[in-house]
Amino acid sequence: MSGGLGVRWKLHGDGRVPAPGAVVRPDERLTWPRTAGLGAQHVVAMFGASFVAPVLMGLDPNLAIMMSGVATMIFLLATRGRVPSYLGCSLSFVGVAAVIRAQGGDAATITGAILVVGAVLFLVGLAVKAFGARIVHVSMPPVVTGAVVMLIGFNLAPVTASTYWPQDQWTALLTMLLTGFAVVCLRGFWSRIAIFLGLVVGYLLSWVFDRAFGKIHSPDATGETVDHWRLDLSGVGDADWFGLPSFHGPSFSWSAILVALPVVIALIAENTGHVKAVGEMTGDPLDDKMGTAIAADGVGSMVSTSVGGPANTTYSENIGVMAATRVYSTAAYWAAAVFALLFGLCPKFGAVVAAIPGGVLGGITVILYGMIGLLGAQIWTANNVDLRNPLNLVPVAAGIIIGVGGVSLKISDNFELSGIALGTLVVITGYHALRALAPAHLKGQEPLLDEGTSSYDPGREEAGPPEKS
C-alpha cells in the first residue's frame, strides 16, 4: 500500500463481485458503495457485545461505540493496513468493573484501572515486537492463559444471578432460550449476531409483557424491590438526535488496578489468536505484526479510557464476517469505524441502549459469561493441555476456585487481594514455581495422575494411551 499507512487500495476486478474462489485482499477493495455496505455489516456484527459491555460496566454506550471506531483507526494505521480487524469493546473487563464498584469505585476508577492495563498491553506489544512471540508462550503458556480466561468469565456468574436475572426471571429465561436457539440453529452471518438478535427479541418481549401484564414487582436496577416497568423508554424521548457523549477523566486506585491487571493476559491471548487466524485466512503470515497489533490495541484502549470509554480488543465476530464474505479489505473496516463514530454522536441511540431491561441482560449474560469462561477450555483443547498432569492441574484448580469463589487474602488493613487478581496470581506464580521445583518426568507430561481419573471415557481403550503434548 502506498504511503506506508495502508490507506490506499486497488480495485479488485470490476469492484462488484469477486470471482468464484477469489478473495479480496487487505490492500484491495470493492466499489465504495459495496465497501460501505460491508462496513455497516461489520458494525452490526460487533454491535451485540460492543454495546452490552459498556452497559454492564456502567459506562456511556455512545462513547464506547465512538471510541471503538477511534481505536479501530489507530489499529489499522499502526499495522499499516495488513491486519484487517475491528476493535470493539472488551467484555473481559465486565467482572473487573463489578468488583471495583463493589469496593466503592466509580466510573472514573474503573476507566483509570483499565487505562493502566492498556499501558501494560502496549509495553507487552513492544516486547513481543523486539524479542518475538515466543516470550508470550514462555511466560504465559496455554495452561495458564486458559485458566485466567476461564476464571475471568466464571467470576461473572454472581452478577447475573443476583443483579440481572431477578429483575424479570421469565423474560430472562425466554431471552436465554431464544439466544441459544439463534447461536446454534441459525446459519452464516445471522449466527454471528445471535447476541444482538437475542437483545432485540428480549427488548420486544419486555414491551409486550408490559402491555399485557402491567408493571412487575421485582428488584429494579438499584436492587430495591418495587413495582416498575420492564422497559422504561422515558429517557429515549428526552434524548437529542445529535450531540457529544459524556466524557470523564480517569482516576487511579492501586486496589482497582490490581483487580484489573490480570485481564491483560486475556487481551494478549485474544490478539495473538486473532492475528494468527487472519494470517491463515488471507494466506499472509502476520507473526511479524503480532507485537505491533498488541501494542496498537494497548494504545487504542488507553485513548478510549482516557476520556471515559472502555478498553477495546479484536473481535472474533468480525473474523466470522470476513470468513463468510471472503472480503478482507481494510477499507471496509475504515467504513465501519466511520459508522461507529456517527453512532456515537447520536444520544438517542445511547438512550435506547441504556433502556435494555435487566431481565433481558439476565438472559443474555447467562450465555455470554459462560461462553467467555469456556474460551479458556477452548485454549486448553486447542493446545492439547493435559490436566491429568499435576503440574498443570494443581495451580489451575487452586486459581480457578479462588477466582470464581471470590476468595480473599488480606495483606494489611489497606491492601487485599481477592477474586480475579488473587486467582491469576496463584495460577501464574504457582505454575512457574512448581515447574521450577518439579521432577523432570512431570515436565515431560508423564507419568500422569491415576488413569482411573479418566476411565469414564468410553473410547479410551480403543484409542490407546493419550498422546503426549
Side-chain angles (χ1 to χ4, degrees):
M1 294 185 185
S2 59
L5 294 177
V7 293
R8 294 185 180 180
W9 304 268
K10 57 187 177 183
L11 195 65
H12 176 87
D14 62 1
R16 296 178 180 275
V17 180
V23 300
V24 180
R25 298 183 57 79
D27 61 345
E28 298 177 329
R29 65 170 176 84
L30 300 178
T31 60
W32 284 116
R34 286 173 172 76
T35 297
L38 287 165
Q41 187 172 242
H42 278 298
V43 170
V44 173
M46 67 85 180
F47 237 39
S50 263
F51 71 52
V52 169
V55 169
L56 297 178
M57 295 170 67
L59 302 177
D60 184 351
N62 272 61
L63 181 59
I65 295 297
M66 174 186 284
M67 296 313 296
S68 75
V70 173
T72 298
M73 292 178 178
I74 292 172
F75 185 92
L76 294 173
L77 289 172
T79 57
R80 301 294 191 267
R82 282 188 61 199
V83 187
S85 300
Y86 192 92
L87 265 60
C89 309
S90 175
L91 282 161
S92 299
F93 289 97
V94 172
V96 165
V99 172
I100 292 174
R101 288 192 183 277
Q103 294 176 347
D106 57 10
T109 311
I110 292 170
T111 52
I114 300 174
L115 191 153
V116 174
V117 174
V120 173
L121 186 65
F122 170 70
L123 295 176
V124 170
L126 294 183
V128 172
K129 185 175 177 61
F131 303 107
R134 185 175 181 275
I135 65 168
V136 173
H137 186 80
V138 170
S139 58
M140 291 179 294
V143 61
V144 169
T145 305
V148 173
V149 172
M150 181 173 286
L151 67 87
I152 287 172
F154 291 162
N155 178 265
L156 298 168
V159 177
T160 292
S162 62
T163 301
Y164 298 121
W165 191 279
Q167 293 184 42
D168 185 358
Q169 60 176 1
W170 295 112
T171 299
L173 179 62
L174 289 172
T175 302
M176 179 194 73
L177 294 174
L178 290 168
T179 303
F181 171 83
V183 171
V184 175
C185 298
L186 297 184
R187 294 290 182 267
F189 174 71
W190 293 106
S191 68
R192 294 288 174 179
I193 60 169
I195 299 297
F196 176 73
L197 294 176
L199 285 171
V200 171
V201 173
Y203 210 103
L204 294 174
L205 278 175
S206 297
W207 181 83
V208 170
F209 287 172
D210 279 344
R211 303 286 80 75
F213 307 116
K215 292 184 177 181
I216 186 172
H217 185 74
S218 69
D220 61 10
T222 66
E224 183 181 359
T225 301
V226 295
D227 290 331
H228 63 96
W229 295 111
R230 298 167 180 81
L231 177 61
D232 183 3
L233 296 175
S234 58
V236 177
D238 298 334
D240 295 327
W241 280 103
F242 299 102
L244 290 173
S246 57
F247 299 98
H248 71 255
S251 65
F252 301 96
S253 163
W254 276 112
S255 60
I257 291 170
L258 287 174
V259 169
L261 272 177
V263 181
V264 76
I265 297 174
L267 297 181
I268 293 169
E270 287 172 349
N271 276 276
T272 301
H274 184 93
V275 170
K276 286 186 174 296
V278 172
E280 290 177 4
M281 287 193 302
T282 61
D284 177 21
L286 296 171
D287 283 357
D288 61 316
K289 286 293 182 182
M290 189 174 294
T292 302
I294 294 173
D297 188 358
V299 172
S301 293
M302 291 168 65
V303 171
S304 177
T305 52
S306 68
V307 296
N312 294 283
T313 188
T314 51
Y315 258 38
S316 60
E317 288 89 340
N318 297 96
I319 287 185
V321 173
M322 288 192 293
T325 62
R326 297 178 67 81
V327 177
Y328 307 111
S329 171
T330 53
Y333 282 102
W334 276 98
V338 171
F339 283 130
L341 286 174
L342 295 176
F343 273 119
L345 294 172
C346 180
K348 196 170 288 290
F349 159 76
V352 171
V353 173
I356 297 173
V360 176
L361 292 176
I364 291 293
T365 53
V366 164
I367 295 176
L368 198 59
Y369 292 169
M371 289 171 65
I372 294 172
L374 290 175
L375 285 175
Q378 183 178 346
I379 291 173
W380 289 339
T381 301
N383 292 276
N384 298 317
V385 173
D386 198 327
L387 293 178
R388 291 173 300 169
N389 186 333
L391 178 57
N392 295 333
L393 179 64
V394 171
V396 165
I400 288 178
I401 291 299
I402 288 172
V404 174
V407 175
S408 62
L409 183 66
K410 190 171 183 179
I411 309 298
S412 69
D413 291 339
N414 300 316
F415 183 67
E416 181 178 280
L417 286 171
S418 63
I420 295 173
L422 182 59
T424 300
L425 187 65
V426 167
V427 171
I428 295 177
T429 59
Y431 175 81
H432 288 290
L434 289 174
R435 185 169 182 81
L437 299 172
H441 63 266
L442 285 184
K443 298 176 187 179
Q445 301 285 322
E446 58 179 324
L448 304 175
L449 290 178
D450 182 359
E451 291 186 2
T453 59
S454 60
S455 60
Y456 61 82
D457 183 354
R460 178 167 174 75
E461 292 184 5
E462 289 82 358
E467 293 182 4
K468 307 296 190 298
S469 58

